[in-house]
Amino acid sequence: MLFATFEPTCKKKKSISPVLNTKICGMELPSPIGLAAGFDKNAEVFNATLSLGFGFVEVGTITPDPQTGNGKPRLFRLPDEDALINKMGFNNKGMLYASRTIRKPKLGIVGVNIGANAKSINKVMDYSTIFEFLAHLFDYVTINVSSPNTKNLRDLQKPEVLEKILQNVTTINLSLKKQVPIFIKIAPDLTENNVTEILNVCEENKVSGLIATNTTISPRTLKKPKSFKGGLSGKPLFKPSNKILKLLAKRKKPTTALIGVGGIFSASDVYEKIRLGASAVQIYSGFVYKGPMHIKKIEMELENLLLNDGYASIDRAVGASIR
Ligand SMILES: Cc1cc2nc3c(=O)[nH]c(=O)nc-3n(C[C@H](O)[C@H](O)[C@H](O)COP(=O)(O)O)c2cc1C
């Protein structure tokens, strides 16, 4: 009951410092640090996570139909590596459920990450179906073509397939009363050539930005390499995801935004991604390891890092180390 009376009056969260205020694709963020997809799978706790200091949250991955995901156990900690391995497989309650949970006042920017059902016979169509159903309820939409835990999903990163998905969702987007920014989330396990091809297709289809990256399938990133099934996140992903971020930053058009994800545990990790070209970042594993108070702590330290280098705002620092 307390929750019900609180909701209608809830106000957007303010920034802890004006230095951290930033704008990405028209969205005003009180902080560049967002919660990555996979934590709030069903858009149930976005106001609670925004209250912890996140500047934005990405819910999902949500698929058209509900599905249970892969069998348990499917999430493992590697504490010696500050890493997680997950093979969740898009466990979620489906788009109809999310369309209900999202209909309440929001404390900030909430995006939705969309994917295809594991058993779908037309994965390309799944993106149109869910975009049409959910896009108007969210501040932005991320097309997830990079999860390693749904068979063949990452094949959708192939330029000719990605092009089809983008043409479909863009047509739907143009028919909306208010268009939403569209992001593509890519894998870290791509060659330089793959990255360039994906970027070209995104820019030809006027995608707002790219999110780099999802989890890796490469055991070589571990200090003590061992084979595993699923996607690896956390500290070992920091360098590989930064490599992709840098590649994108060097080749993208000024109008294409970048969101950096992978291995962030500290303010200096955030700062490195910003200096490599990210206008905003997202965290998952660092939040799991360091706990709920960590985000505000990182934000205060980030403010100091920016001010010490003479930056009065985030956007001045974006791409500073590749200019
Ligand atoms: C348990 C778990 C579930 C995840 N689920 C999703 C998901 O549903 N969709 C998605 O795009 N990324 C998902 N991710 C990937 C994260 O959003 C993020 O890209 C990745 O973990 C790298 O960031 P990190 O090193 O800060 O964890 C998941 C990650 C974890 C650890």
Side-chain angles (χ1 to χ4, degrees):
M1 276 315 282
L2 183 65
F3 195 53
T5 50
F6 163 73
E7 286 297 332
T9 58
C10 75
K11 296 237 166 63
K12 299 263 182 215
K13 283 274 153 197
K14 287 217 179 84
S15 172
I16 64 155
S17 155
V19 178
L20 300 182
N21 282 338
T22 191
K23 216 173 172 183
I24 180 165
C25 308
M27 298 179 287
E28 290 190 12
L29 310 178
S31 153
I33 305 175
L35 177 61
F39 188 90
D40 187 3
K41 293 261 188 200
N42 296 300
E44 290 167 319
V45 292
F46 50 86
N47 279 339
T49 47
L50 284 164
S51 296
L52 297 176
F54 285 108
F56 63 110
V57 302
E58 187 167 309
V59 305
T61 295
I62 294 167
T63 54
D65 293 327
Q67 59 180 31
T68 52
N70 295 323
K72 293 180 183 175
R74 54 190 181 186
L75 178 56
F76 310 88
R77 282 188 187 229
L78 279 63
D80 296 346
E81 305 263 2
D82 284 319
L84 298 174
I85 290 173
N86 93 81
K87 45 176 178 158
M88 308 299 284
F90 294 166
N91 52 305
N92 80 106
K93 296 178 184 169
M95 65 184 187
L96 183 59
Y97 181 84
S99 74
R100 292 181 181 141
T101 54
I102 194 63
R103 280 179 208 271
K104 60 182 174 191
K106 302 178 199 69
L107 289 174
I109 297 290
V110 182
V112 61
N113 178 306
I114 63 173
N117 278 112
K119 289 192 178 148
S120 168
I121 48 163
N122 189 342
K123 289 197 165 45
V124 170
M125 262 318 282
D126 276 17
Y127 290 89
S128 307
T129 307
I130 190 165
F131 190 96
E132 189 157 30
F133 198 74
L134 286 184
H136 66 286
L137 300 171
F138 289 88
D139 295 303
Y140 72 89
V141 177
T142 298
I143 312 273
N144 181 6
V145 280
S146 48
S147 169
N149 299 317
T150 297
K151 204 171 165 221
N152 301 332
L153 192 95
R154 283 170 305 146
D155 292 347
L156 305 177
Q157 291 174 116
K158 286 186 184 146
E160 62 282 8
V161 189
L162 189 56
E163 168 113 56
K164 191 74 213 136
I165 295 174
L166 288 177
Q167 280 172 353
N168 293 345
V169 295
T170 308
T171 308
I172 300 167
N173 201 19
L174 288 171
S175 74
L176 299 180
K177 246 192 243 160
K178 185 174 175 260
Q179 278 81 55
V180 290
I182 297 174
F183 294 98
I184 301 292
K185 184 167 179 181
I186 64 171
D189 313 301
L190 296 167
T191 64
E192 197 170 330
N193 195 28
N194 294 152
V195 174
T196 311
E197 282 181 341
I198 291 171
L199 180 63
N200 289 343
V201 173
C202 288
E203 292 189 333
E204 278 158 22
N205 287 280
K206 303 204 167 42
V207 159
S208 299
L210 286 93
I211 304 187
T213 67
N214 214 313
T215 53
T216 178
I217 55 164
S218 168
R220 279 177 296 132
T221 51
L222 289 165
K223 280 187 279 184
K224 286 190 194 151
K226 62 165 190 171
S227 66
F228 60 83
K229 281 210 174 95
L232 176 74
S233 58
K235 279 226 171 114
L237 184 59
F238 188 62
K239 282 206 174 118
S241 60
N242 284 359
K243 200 173 155 195
I244 303 283
L245 182 64
K246 191 172 172 185
L247 265 175
L248 288 168
K250 282 190 159 171
R251 295 178 185 188
K252 75 177 186 79
K253 290 183 184 160
T255 46
T256 306
L258 297 177
I259 296 180
V261 202
I264 294 176
F265 277 70
S266 66
S268 69
D269 296 339
V270 175
Y271 195 36
E272 190 165 332
K273 287 196 195 277
I274 289 173
R275 288 170 57 87
L276 281 174
S279 295
V281 301
Q282 294 175 327
I283 303 185
Y284 194 138
S285 304
F287 177 58
V288 170
Y289 274 99
K290 297 280 188 178
M293 306 313 285
H294 192 55
I295 303 308
K296 286 186 178 154
K297 182 171 174 278
I298 297 187
E299 284 169 350
M300 284 188 281
E301 288 168 8
L302 179 64
E303 182 196 19
N304 282 336
L305 290 175
L306 287 158
L307 292 176
N308 284 345
D309 283 351
Y311 295 119
S313 68
I314 301 274
D315 49 323
R316 302 254 169 117
V318 173
S321 61
I322 57 155
R323 281 200 279 269

